[in-house]
Amino acid sequence: MSDKPIAMLVAALVVAPICSVCILGPAVIAGFFAGWFGWVGDLSALQMIALGVAAAALVLGISRYRHSRKTDAISAASESHL
């Protein structure tokens, strides 16, 4: 292996910020909007947490419902070909 050890460090310095933006970007944007909606709606921190939990549960429920419908459609299609 003829690569110099400094090349790995430079690559890590370039890749780490890109990864952190991709991973933390949605959390920062969601935090900004949550703070803004809390300020506009004059909600307390506990109310904002409850609203976030309710929104997450709604998204999770919709996601599971859509996934189960897709799975049912796939299994029905495979049974019709038999």
Side-chain angles (χ1 to χ4, degrees):
M1 202 167 164
S2 64
D3 291 339
K4 298 188 184 222
I6 195 75
M8 289 189 291
L9 294 174
V10 171
L13 287 174
V14 170
V15 171
I18 294 171
C19 289
S20 65
V21 167
C22 291
I23 293 169
L24 297 176
V28 170
I29 292 170
F32 169 75
F33 281 117
W36 187 78
F37 282 121
W39 178 68
V40 168
D42 197 29
L43 300 174
S44 70
L46 187 60
Q47 290 171 327
M48 286 304 299
I49 291 170
L51 186 61
V53 168
L58 181 66
V59 168
L60 182 63
I62 291 171
S63 173
R64 286 188 177 181
Y65 174 72
R66 292 183 69 196
H67 179 70
S68 69
R69 288 195 60 206
K70 187 180 358 175
T71 305
D72 291 344
I74 291 170
S75 63
S78 65
E79 288 175 4
S80 68
H81 290 299
L82 294 177

